[in-house]
Amino acid sequence: MQNRKLRMGMIGGGVGSFIGGVHRVAANLDGQIELVCGAFSRDPEKSARTGKELFLDEGRVYGSYKEMIKAEKQLPKGDRMDFVSIVTPNHVHADPALLALDNGFPVIIDKPLCFDMQEAKALQAKVKETRLPFALTHTYTGYPMVKQARKMVEDGELGPIKKITVEYPQGWLSQKLEADDNKQASWRTDPTKSGKAGAYGDIGTHAANMAEYVSGLKINKVLSQLSKIVEGRLLDDDASALLEFEGGVPGVLACSQVSAGEENNIKIRVYGEKGGLEWQQEDNNTLKVKWQGKPDQIYRTGVDNTGYLSETALANSRVPAGHPEGYLEAFANIYRNFGMHLRAHDAGENHDMEIYDYPDVDEGVHGMSLVDAVVESTERGNIWVEVKNN
Amino acid sequence: MQNRKLRMGMIGGGVGSFIGGVHRVAANLDGQIELVCGAFSRDPEKSARTGKELFLDEGRVYGSYKEMIKAEKQLPKGDRMDFVSIVTPNHVHADPALLALDNGFPVIIDKPLCFDMQEAKALQAKVKETRLPFALTHTYTGYPMVKQARKMVEDGELGPIKKITVEYPQGWLSQKLEADDNKQASWRTDPTKSGKAGAYGDIGTHAANMAEYVSGLKINKVLSQLSKIVEGRLLDDDASALLEFEGGVPGVLACSQVSAGEENNIKIRVYGEKGGLEWQQEDNNTLKVKWQGKPDQIYRTGVDNTGYLSETALANSRVPAGHPEGYLEAFANIYRNFGMHLRAHDAGENHDMEIYDYPDVDEGVHGMSLVDAVVESTERGNIWVEVKNN
Amino acid sequence: MQNRKLRMGMIGGGVGSFIGGVHRVAANLDGQIELVCGAFSRDPEKSARTGKELFLDEGRVYGSYKEMIKAEKQLPKGDRMDFVSIVTPNHVHADPALLALDNGFPVIIDKPLCFDMQEAKALQAKVKETRLPFALTHTYTGYPMVKQARKMVEDGELGPIKKITVEYPQGWLSQKLEADDNKQASWRTDPTKSGKAGAYGDIGTHAANMAEYVSGLKINKVLSQLSKIVEGRLLDDDASALLEFEGGVPGVLACSQVSAGEENNIKIRVYGEKGGLEWQQEDNNTLKVKWQGKPDQIYRTGVDNTGYLSETALANSRVPAGHPEGYLEAFANIYRNFGMHLRAHDAGENHDMEIYDYPDVDEGVHGMSLVDAVVESTERGNIWVEVKNN
Amino acid sequence: MQNRKLRMGMIGGGVGSFIGGVHRVAANLDGQIELVCGAFSRDPEKSARTGKELFLDEGRVYGSYKEMIKAEKQLPKGDRMDFVSIVTPNHVHADPALLALDNGFPVIIDKPLCFDMQEAKALQAKVKETRLPFALTHTYTGYPMVKQARKMVEDGELGPIKKITVEYPQGWLSQKLEADDNKQASWRTDPTKSGKAGAYGDIGTHAANMAEYVSGLKINKVLSQLSKIVEGRLLDDDASALLEFEGGVPGVLACSQVSAGEENNIKIRVYGEKGGLEWQQEDNNTLKVKWQGKPDQIYRTGVDNTGYLSETALANSRVPAGHPEGYLEAFANIYRNFGMHLRAHDAGENHDMEIYDYPDVDEGVHGMSLVDAVVESTERGNIWVEVKNN
């Protein structure tokens, strides 16, 4: 494994999928991973067509994930896939992941972790049992400047944390697209596929994860208001929540899929006693550091900013400052770091999760417990609910 | 009154005051108003010193507002002040305003309207009784692009409104300045001077007013979380609230005086079915209009943008696009429009409150009822509370 | 003079004028100056109408500047105007200014100084002879962050200066407005009124002045390309120039009135060995300080930024950070500082030109010599031409 | 070739190279190309080490490009590399490219095309003779919004073009890094490796190419000022030029490597009679479209912006709007489009150079002729020089 690319098998991501293609680019980007097999769709013809477009060996394009895991397992180590990437809708996360782990394959999986808490716990237990690497693609924490922000908070540069604000506004569901058979909209607004939360499950989980990642503080309690703005929609398409982080730090989370005209500008602000941090995806290579009584500072992504960036920010950048990096690079950081972990695991070595970190199954389980708490708060009339898994 | 500048008397605003000087610039700016007298401080020496700096006739610098109102009343009309500007701390708003109105003097007053709801109701009744012009300086709605935003919402350009977000982050109270005898901090954090709300009263009221002004929708219900972040502080220095506007439109309000590093970047976002509006003070001459599926548009302040700006935006601008206007000009719009109303009132004519509008006593009373509801919600454990005065 | 407002007389600025109104706001803003008389137009009826709108005493609204200067001179000191503000088109600058000076009236005058070099020299001589205060309204150097930039360069914070770039793009003359009898366009594009340069004279002079002000370096040589882009236009409407500053520092100046869609975003960048400065009018309250190998810094206007702003930046600001100041405040700084000089002059005291500075007649003469050099360079085939007056 | 990844051989790009790694990411990203062999360094040990890191078959890591081309040629088609990527310093461009073409291998090459005009002409002739696909990596025109800009100009949306401004400021050579044995700095400032131009050759060529690409107009004449700012430097590190485009359209180009604090913010502005376009790398997913008399518009990268983006902008994007794309994706567009051309060429089909375009050898030759003209202009005293190759 040390002298060759890592071999990836993919579940889901057939022609027409958005996120499957993104995962493949992220895996390809650094030349450390190659796709060798896939079960891209429950429709074998579609799976085959996808495999062909991706130049895969026909014999390794499978009609189902069960078939794939079984067949690959039988190949000699070194030939067979080294890990599985799961990019299906939420309700088809847990089963293939469990099967993969049971058969010795590490897993990288799209977020949220799975459909509900029961599945989440099962996955967590399985990961613990198998001790296999397991990654969850909370992409946004893969950005170098987000890692820089986390490090600065951790190092106490802002002083004790006092306030956290996170938001993720989108507008693409401001019309009832699911009525027009829009594939992306359909499963995301369908509680039998997406789970019990809509906008919160899809993007609120990213926002909560971002807030916890940067601040280093877990959310202890939530008071939420989930709204169904578009008439006839089955799940929330707008969510606001008051948060209480560890240590009693107050926070606000707002996400929406009906903020017409908004793209994907997830934004985090963390304030300490001495200053604050601001990062937003729209300007992802910039971290604004605000000081009370001193000029604000602009931190910038770039492998040449060795004079002031943290080791982890530098290690997750690829080009000199001013050449913008973006979403695919942040995504690729998760794959690259997960791949490094795989190699270390294979060699019986430790992987440095401080510098080459990625979200793991515990973050996934915690995310699911946040979904539960957020939904419960609204159902019980917008009251404070404790987050169980902390 | 038609052939001369309007004559202004000021209560408060002695040497060392911040907002008094701002009011004077705002009054001066358009050459329509002149300061003729004042009771600038309870300390007669300080009042005299202020008057001297402002080149006032010694005889018209008074030791108290009572003295001033009495003396000016005795001057012949045309000589005496035409109206009173009140720029004292909140707990010294109602009494001088009532006295002025009782003596026939129109009033322009700093926000919030007064100390508590009882005073507010008394003021409202007095204004109704005397039918005198009365203005409240909710400055931020004086910006041309805020007026443009309101007009576009009113005209239905965004479609039905679906979501409103407003925020006002400051950082200046992230340390306990009131312990160091900072004048601005001291009265604002003192419940006997500021009223029952701290950050919410000082800047949350601006945010709520902005949200209602732009959207044209009143807030019906609030669920708030007022926090005292700095240890030992007597009033909230951070406030978050879930809002329900008329028609059930959800909203989020967040304000803070402990967001270290933040200045005064009040920001409003209003989303309709078709698109959204975004305005922030930091870039006050720009209104970003976001469309789902079409390029966003950038509306800009400027008397030459006659091709697309509304009449009210144009009427509240002073220079061609690209020459930045700012806070003092927004403030001056309130004075200018109030002054126009005074002249119209004097002449027995109507004043166009659509184009030359300014906040009035009813907005002030409504703002006080919001303070009550916000405080009650937190006191009762962060529950939904109805806003009484709508 | 110490215990009253300064009295201003205005020449030009009748109804329909743009810049006249701006001068009046700038003079009014700080409550230190009052307009007492004017000769607003060569058309006595229009002059009278303007005076009436401005609430002037009928007897002090004059039909010509000659009449005004003569009549005011005869009033007792203390009653008569203290200085003259000249806001006429370029070709009517020198005569009234000379007459005013000759009669003992200090002058504040719109830019460029006058019509040609001969007039400029005469004015300079007259100012030297009379030793009266004389201000030129190169507004853009009145911004606090421009003053901050100048101070930082002067203090050597950037190291030795290596490169200077300045630009001023406008779009308003991208159509032939002068053909439609547009007043602003007509005189600006008419060589008999504007002088020998069009865009360069109108806005390039601002750009050059800005570059010299911030860098503290005079332009020694220019190589220009003046273009007449719109067919049939008599003067340049677009100008680019290579510059050589003192010490051989290279620079680029670009200005245009045919950059369709542009407003008034004058922008200056100065680079030293260690870092660079960037300021633009569109975001006038921000000074971006860029460092090689360190995070950039954001300096911000604000009377409360006492921890890091220079004395001159603070002295030319009016409100706390985050409350935007703009063009009118920058303009008012010139009037305020000129007024302070007048009072000091009257009292026989020194005026602090370091902190309360404003552009004077020498800058005006130098600006005219730059016009000469720029025009000569293009006429002689885009060659290097030395600037005579340095 | 249709049913497999394209096979790439690389010349240059050994351990420590910056641009070699970028080329590899760009090639990897879309999963259409795989690196199969390389001659990464003149030092065989270093070449071998690089090959190992890249998981290449030892037998296909060569000690020189000559060896590689010879050996690969002897492999059966389908096994051997399909094309060569050349990422060496400028003086080692032409020879390997000529040899590759002579042996039937298409070439993709870093910019500038080569060392001097003679080499450029030879390459152009060879491409014409062999009729093989040939790409030059002028990366910045690979950005979707740059392609959108070009299309809008081409479609006449701005009206006839009147003015073009392009700039590329960097600061990394503001100190004499070449004295400290900095590898990147050393060859770039060495006329025997870089060619006759320094900053102009390195980044000015990008700026000129950008201006011509977006405007669709060739530069006919230049008047340049090349400066050596850092003492002792052998080539220009700062360059400014007046430009005359086809049809007499004036332009300004400014590039610098001594603008301390600047990163890589290449920026283009093109103005037509009706409006202007502005794009800069720092905000690469945004194209600002400015209109005279109408609100500006913000065009945004995103595969979902099908409502208004051109076919070519959409075809060169990968993710929905708001997920930032960057430099590596722009670079990957060149590889992807070049790869598509290779497949089409192999299949005897046409490649759509309108939508899937990339810079070719003619652009490279033209770029070299611009270098000649720019250098000649300065050497002859900053006079207008015609660009020979148009």
Side-chain angles (χ1 to χ4, degrees), chain B residues 87-118:
Chain B
V87 298
T88 45
N90 306 349
H91 66 305
V92 197
H93 278 197
D95 286 348
L98 289 166
L99 192 67
L101 291 166
D102 264 334
N103 284 277
F105 294 110
V107 169
I108 185 165
I109 194 164
D110 205 69
K111 52 53 53 189
L113 181 60
C114 49
F115 187 72
D116 62 21
M117 199 60 192
Q118 195 181 334

mmCIF file of all heavy atoms in Angstrom, chain B residues 87-118:
data_model
loop_
_atom_site.group_PDB
_atom_site.id
_atom_site.type_symbol
_atom_site.label_atom_id
_atom_site.label_comp_id
_atom_site.label_asym_id
_atom_site.label_seq_id
_atom_site.Cartn_x
_atom_site.Cartn_y
_atom_site.Cartn_z
ATOM 1 N N VAL B 87 -31.273 64.964 23.852
ATOM 2 C CA VAL B 87 -30.177 64.008 23.624
ATOM 3 C C VAL B 87 -29.584 63.500 24.943
ATOM 4 O O VAL B 87 -28.426 63.103 25.000
ATOM 5 C CB VAL B 87 -29.075 64.648 22.751
ATOM 6 C CG1 VAL B 87 -29.627 65.023 21.391
ATOM 7 C CG2 VAL B 87 -28.485 65.882 23.429
ATOM 8 N N THR B 88 -30.401 63.507 25.971
ATOM 9 C CA THR B 88 -30.001 63.028 27.298
ATOM 10 C C THR B 88 -30.069 61.504 27.376
ATOM 11 O O THR B 88 -30.640 60.865 26.503
ATOM 12 C CB THR B 88 -30.987 63.608 28.327
ATOM 13 O OG1 THR B 88 -32.304 63.429 27.790
ATOM 14 C CG2 THR B 88 -30.747 65.079 28.562
ATOM 15 N N PRO B 89 -29.514 60.906 28.455
ATOM 16 C CA PRO B 89 -29.724 59.467 28.658
ATOM 17 C C PRO B 89 -31.208 59.135 28.782
ATOM 18 O O PRO B 89 -32.030 59.996 29.106
ATOM 19 C CB PRO B 89 -28.957 59.174 29.958
ATOM 20 C CG PRO B 89 -27.868 60.209 29.982
ATOM 21 C CD PRO B 89 -28.512 61.446 29.397
ATOM 22 N N ASN B 90 -31.521 57.852 28.572
ATOM 23 C CA ASN B 90 -32.910 57.400 28.451
ATOM 24 C C ASN B 90 -33.837 57.851 29.581
ATOM 25 O O ASN B 90 -35.008 58.137 29.346
ATOM 26 C CB ASN B 90 -32.968 55.861 28.397
ATOM 27 C CG ASN B 90 -32.080 55.291 27.322
ATOM 28 O OD1 ASN B 90 -31.570 56.032 26.490
ATOM 29 N ND2 ASN B 90 -31.877 53.984 27.334
ATOM 30 N N HIS B 91 -33.298 57.897 30.791
ATOM 31 C CA HIS B 91 -34.199 58.197 31.910
ATOM 32 C C HIS B 91 -34.543 59.682 32.004
ATOM 33 O O HIS B 91 -35.358 60.084 32.825
ATOM 34 C CB HIS B 91 -33.593 57.704 33.239
ATOM 35 C CG HIS B 91 -32.346 58.435 33.640
ATOM 36 N ND1 HIS B 91 -31.241 58.540 32.831
ATOM 37 C CD2 HIS B 91 -32.031 59.101 34.781
ATOM 38 C CE1 HIS B 91 -30.295 59.229 33.444
ATOM 39 N NE2 HIS B 91 -30.752 59.583 34.628
ATOM 40 N N VAL B 92 -33.903 60.481 31.158
ATOM 41 C CA VAL B 92 -34.240 61.915 31.138
ATOM 42 C C VAL B 92 -34.816 62.288 29.776
ATOM 43 O O VAL B 92 -34.498 63.324 29.196
ATOM 44 C CB VAL B 92 -33.006 62.786 31.470
ATOM 45 C CG1 VAL B 92 -33.442 64.194 31.861
ATOM 46 C CG2 VAL B 92 -32.161 62.179 32.585
ATOM 47 N N HIS B 93 -35.617 61.391 29.210
ATOM 48 C CA HIS B 93 -36.263 61.677 27.928
ATOM 49 C C HIS B 93 -37.683 62.207 28.103
ATOM 50 O O HIS B 93 -38.058 63.230 27.536
ATOM 51 C CB HIS B 93 -36.321 60.398 27.069
ATOM 52 C CG HIS B 93 -35.073 60.095 26.325
ATOM 53 N ND1 HIS B 93 -35.025 59.211 25.268
ATOM 54 C CD2 HIS B 93 -33.816 60.549 26.470
ATOM 55 C CE1 HIS B 93 -33.786 59.117 24.802
ATOM 56 N NE2 HIS B 93 -33.030 59.923 25.527
ATOM 57 N N ALA B 94 -38.439 61.483 28.902
ATOM 58 C CA ALA B 94 -39.881 61.744 28.919
ATOM 59 C C ALA B 94 -40.229 63.108 29.511
ATOM 60 O O ALA B 94 -41.020 63.878 28.928
ATOM 61 C CB ALA B 94 -40.603 60.636 29.687
ATOM 62 N N ASP B 95 -39.657 63.431 30.653
ATOM 63 C CA ASP B 95 -40.059 64.678 31.307
ATOM 64 C C ASP B 95 -39.827 65.911 30.430
ATOM 65 O O ASP B 95 -40.753 66.705 30.229
ATOM 66 C CB ASP B 95 -39.340 64.809 32.657
ATOM 67 C CG ASP B 95 -39.938 63.858 33.699
ATOM 68 O OD1 ASP B 95 -41.020 63.285 33.433
ATOM 69 O OD2 ASP B 95 -39.305 63.667 34.758
ATOM 70 N N PRO B 96 -38.615 66.093 29.925
ATOM 71 C CA PRO B 96 -38.450 67.290 29.074
ATOM 72 C C PRO B 96 -39.317 67.237 27.816
ATOM 73 O O PRO B 96 -39.807 68.280 27.371
ATOM 74 C CB PRO B 96 -36.957 67.274 28.723
ATOM 75 C CG PRO B 96 -36.442 65.931 29.115
ATOM 76 C CD PRO B 96 -37.340 65.378 30.148
ATOM 77 N N ALA B 97 -39.526 66.056 27.288
ATOM 78 C CA ALA B 97 -40.345 65.974 26.074
ATOM 79 C C ALA B 97 -41.783 66.375 26.372
ATOM 80 O O ALA B 97 -42.415 67.136 25.618
ATOM 81 C CB ALA B 97 -40.290 64.557 25.500
ATOM 82 N N LEU B 98 -42.302 65.894 27.487
ATOM 83 C CA LEU B 98 -43.684 66.249 27.850
ATOM 84 C C LEU B 98 -43.820 67.742 28.095
ATOM 85 O O LEU B 98 -44.762 68.386 27.621
ATOM 86 C CB LEU B 98 -44.102 65.462 29.109
ATOM 87 C CG LEU B 98 -44.327 63.959 28.892
ATOM 88 C CD1 LEU B 98 -44.396 63.223 30.228
ATOM 89 C CD2 LEU B 98 -45.595 63.712 28.072
ATOM 90 N N LEU B 99 -42.838 68.282 28.785
ATOM 91 C CA LEU B 99 -42.885 69.717 29.067
ATOM 92 C C LEU B 99 -42.804 70.539 27.783
ATOM 93 O O LEU B 99 -43.534 71.526 27.615
ATOM 94 C CB LEU B 99 -41.732 70.096 30.016
ATOM 95 C CG LEU B 99 -41.829 71.500 30.616
ATOM 96 C CD1 LEU B 99 -43.028 71.617 31.566
ATOM 97 C CD2 LEU B 99 -40.540 71.850 31.389
ATOM 98 N N ALA B 100 -41.931 70.114 26.894
ATOM 99 C CA ALA B 100 -41.801 70.835 25.625
ATOM 100 C C ALA B 100 -43.114 70.799 24.861
ATOM 101 O O ALA B 100 -43.613 71.831 24.391
ATOM 102 C CB ALA B 100 -40.666 70.220 24.785
ATOM 103 N N LEU B 101 -43.678 69.631 24.747
ATOM 104 C CA LEU B 101 -44.939 69.498 24.009
ATOM 105 C C LEU B 101 -46.029 70.336 24.671
ATOM 106 O O LEU B 101 -46.786 71.049 23.985
ATOM 107 C CB LEU B 101 -45.368 68.022 23.971
ATOM 108 C CG LEU B 101 -44.485 67.104 23.112
ATOM 109 C CD1 LEU B 101 -44.791 65.633 23.411
ATOM 110 C CD2 LEU B 101 -44.671 67.391 21.625
ATOM 111 N N ASP B 102 -46.089 70.264 25.950
ATOM 112 C CA ASP B 102 -47.101 71.046 26.674
ATOM 113 C C ASP B 102 -46.969 72.545 26.416
ATOM 114 O O ASP B 102 -47.943 73.281 26.506
ATOM 115 C CB ASP B 102 -46.963 70.782 28.188
ATOM 116 C CG ASP B 102 -47.936 69.706 28.653
ATOM 117 O OD1 ASP B 102 -48.991 69.538 28.005
ATOM 118 O OD2 ASP B 102 -47.633 69.024 29.649
ATOM 119 N N ASN B 103 -45.736 72.950 26.114
ATOM 120 C CA ASN B 103 -45.522 74.372 25.851
ATOM 121 C C ASN B 103 -45.475 74.696 24.367
ATOM 122 O O ASN B 103 -45.011 75.757 23.963
ATOM 123 C CB ASN B 103 -44.248 74.836 26.544
ATOM 124 C CG ASN B 103 -44.475 75.001 28.038
ATOM 125 O OD1 ASN B 103 -44.973 76.029 28.474
ATOM 126 N ND2 ASN B 103 -44.171 73.958 28.801
ATOM 127 N N GLY B 104 -45.932 73.714 23.566
ATOM 128 C CA GLY B 104 -46.091 73.997 22.145
ATOM 129 C C GLY B 104 -44.848 73.777 21.305
ATOM 130 O O GLY B 104 -44.820 74.165 20.136
ATOM 131 N N PHE B 105 -43.827 73.151 21.886
ATOM 132 C CA PHE B 105 -42.614 72.924 21.102
ATOM 133 C C PHE B 105 -42.564 71.500 20.537
ATOM 134 O O PHE B 105 -42.596 70.535 21.313
ATOM 135 C CB PHE B 105 -41.363 73.149 21.965
ATOM 136 C CG PHE B 105 -41.191 74.567 22.412
ATOM 137 C CD1 PHE B 105 -41.366 74.925 23.750
ATOM 138 C CD2 PHE B 105 -40.858 75.557 21.492
ATOM 139 C CE1 PHE B 105 -41.205 76.242 24.167
ATOM 140 C CE2 PHE B 105 -40.694 76.887 21.915
ATOM 141 C CZ PHE B 105 -40.876 77.236 23.251
ATOM 142 N N PRO B 106 -42.469 71.358 19.240
ATOM 143 C CA PRO B 106 -42.242 70.032 18.650
ATOM 144 C C PRO B 106 -40.927 69.463 19.185
ATOM 145 O O PRO B 106 -40.051 70.208 19.629
ATOM 146 C CB PRO B 106 -42.134 70.304 17.156
ATOM 147 C CG PRO B 106 -42.848 71.599 16.959
ATOM 148 C CD PRO B 106 -42.597 72.392 18.217
ATOM 149 N N VAL B 107 -40.817 68.139 19.123
ATOM 150 C CA VAL B 107 -39.680 67.457 19.747
ATOM 151 C C VAL B 107 -39.029 66.467 18.792
ATOM 152 O O VAL B 107 -39.718 65.741 18.082
ATOM 153 C CB VAL B 107 -40.155 66.708 21.019
ATOM 154 C CG1 VAL B 107 -39.063 65.775 21.545
ATOM 155 C CG2 VAL B 107 -40.585 67.690 22.102
ATOM 156 N N ILE B 108 -37.703 66.475 18.813
ATOM 157 C CA ILE B 108 -36.950 65.398 18.182
ATOM 158 C C ILE B 108 -36.090 64.802 19.295
ATOM 159 O O ILE B 108 -35.468 65.525 20.069
ATOM 160 C CB ILE B 108 -36.125 65.910 16.964
ATOM 161 C CG1 ILE B 108 -35.455 64.748 16.243
ATOM 162 C CG2 ILE B 108 -35.116 66.964 17.341
ATOM 163 C CD1 ILE B 108 -34.936 65.130 14.842
ATOM 164 N N ILE B 109 -36.087 63.472 19.378
ATOM 165 C CA ILE B 109 -35.546 62.852 20.574
ATOM 166 C C ILE B 109 -34.713 61.634 20.203
ATOM 167 O O ILE B 109 -35.046 60.906 19.283
ATOM 168 C CB ILE B 109 -36.717 62.463 21.520
ATOM 169 C CG1 ILE B 109 -36.210 62.126 22.919
ATOM 170 C CG2 ILE B 109 -37.519 61.311 20.971
ATOM 171 C CD1 ILE B 109 -37.320 62.115 23.956
ATOM 172 N N ASP B 110 -33.630 61.437 20.947
ATOM 173 C CA ASP B 110 -32.803 60.275 20.691
ATOM 174 C C ASP B 110 -33.529 58.995 21.116
ATOM 175 O O ASP B 110 -34.412 59.022 21.956
ATOM 176 C CB ASP B 110 -31.464 60.401 21.433
ATOM 177 C CG ASP B 110 -30.395 59.574 20.747
ATOM 178 O OD1 ASP B 110 -30.001 59.946 19.624
ATOM 179 O OD2 ASP B 110 -29.992 58.528 21.294
ATOM 180 N N LYS B 111 -33.104 57.873 20.551
ATOM 181 C CA LYS B 111 -33.765 56.607 20.883
ATOM 182 C C LYS B 111 -33.050 55.936 22.051
ATOM 183 O O LYS B 111 -31.899 56.283 22.305
ATOM 184 C CB LYS B 111 -33.832 55.673 19.679
ATOM 185 C CG LYS B 111 -32.546 55.381 18.932
ATOM 186 C CD LYS B 111 -31.335 54.886 19.619
ATOM 187 C CE LYS B 111 -31.530 53.650 20.482
ATOM 188 N NZ LYS B 111 -30.276 53.399 21.297
ATOM 189 N N PRO B 112 -33.630 54.990 22.783
ATOM 190 C CA PRO B 112 -35.049 54.631 22.680
ATOM 191 C C PRO B 112 -35.916 55.750 23.212
ATOM 192 O O PRO B 112 -35.433 56.631 23.911
ATOM 193 C CB PRO B 112 -35.142 53.384 23.556
ATOM 194 C CG PRO B 112 -34.071 53.559 24.579
ATOM 195 C CD PRO B 112 -32.954 54.250 23.857
ATOM 196 N N LEU B 113 -37.184 55.655 22.914
ATOM 197 C CA LEU B 113 -38.109 56.751 23.210
ATOM 198 C C LEU B 113 -37.962 57.252 24.639
ATOM 199 O O LEU B 113 -37.894 58.452 24.877
ATOM 200 C CB LEU B 113 -39.549 56.274 22.971
ATOM 201 C CG LEU B 113 -40.658 57.302 23.212
ATOM 202 C CD1 LEU B 113 -40.486 58.514 22.305
ATOM 203 C CD2 LEU B 113 -42.023 56.665 22.984
ATOM 204 N N CYS B 114 -37.898 56.301 25.603
ATOM 205 C CA CYS B 114 -37.859 56.749 26.990
ATOM 206 C C CYS B 114 -37.478 55.592 27.906
ATOM 207 O O CYS B 114 -36.923 54.595 27.440
ATOM 208 C CB CYS B 114 -39.205 57.349 27.394
ATOM 209 S SG CYS B 114 -40.582 56.277 26.951
ATOM 210 N N PHE B 115 -37.751 55.696 29.154
ATOM 211 C CA PHE B 115 -37.257 54.750 30.134
ATOM 212 C C PHE B 115 -38.117 53.487 30.226
ATOM 213 O O PHE B 115 -37.613 52.383 30.340
ATOM 214 C CB PHE B 115 -37.209 55.433 31.511
ATOM 215 C CG PHE B 115 -36.552 54.611 32.563
ATOM 216 C CD1 PHE B 115 -35.161 54.409 32.551
ATOM 217 C CD2 PHE B 115 -37.295 54.009 33.582
ATOM 218 C CE1 PHE B 115 -34.546 53.643 33.540
ATOM 219 C CE2 PHE B 115 -36.679 53.235 34.556
ATOM 220 C CZ PHE B 115 -35.303 53.046 34.534
ATOM 221 N N ASP B 116 -39.432 53.683 30.214
ATOM 222 C CA ASP B 116 -40.311 52.508 30.313
ATOM 223 C C ASP B 116 -41.628 52.757 29.600
ATOM 224 O O ASP B 116 -41.861 53.812 29.046
ATOM 225 C CB ASP B 116 -40.514 52.099 31.779
ATOM 226 C CG ASP B 116 -41.182 53.190 32.595
ATOM 227 O OD1 ASP B 116 -41.838 54.078 32.007
ATOM 228 O OD2 ASP B 116 -41.026 53.161 33.829
ATOM 229 N N MET B 117 -42.459 51.742 29.638
ATOM 230 C CA MET B 117 -43.694 51.754 28.859
ATOM 231 C C MET B 117 -44.661 52.816 29.345
ATOM 232 O O MET B 117 -45.374 53.421 28.542
ATOM 233 C CB MET B 117 -44.329 50.366 28.974
ATOM 234 C CG MET B 117 -45.340 50.088 27.898
ATOM 235 S SD MET B 117 -44.575 50.182 26.238
ATOM 236 C CE MET B 117 -46.076 50.172 25.245
ATOM 237 N N GLN B 118 -44.649 53.042 30.654
ATOM 238 C CA GLN B 118 -45.571 54.029 31.204
ATOM 239 C C GLN B 118 -45.257 55.416 30.623
ATOM 240 O O GLN B 118 -46.145 56.125 30.160
ATOM 241 C CB GLN B 118 -45.405 54.036 32.719
ATOM 242 C CG GLN B 118 -46.537 54.744 33.461
ATOM 243 C CD GLN B 118 -46.282 54.727 34.978
ATOM 244 O OE1 GLN B 118 -45.587 53.826 35.488
ATOM 245 N NE2 GLN B 118 -46.796 55.706 35.684
#
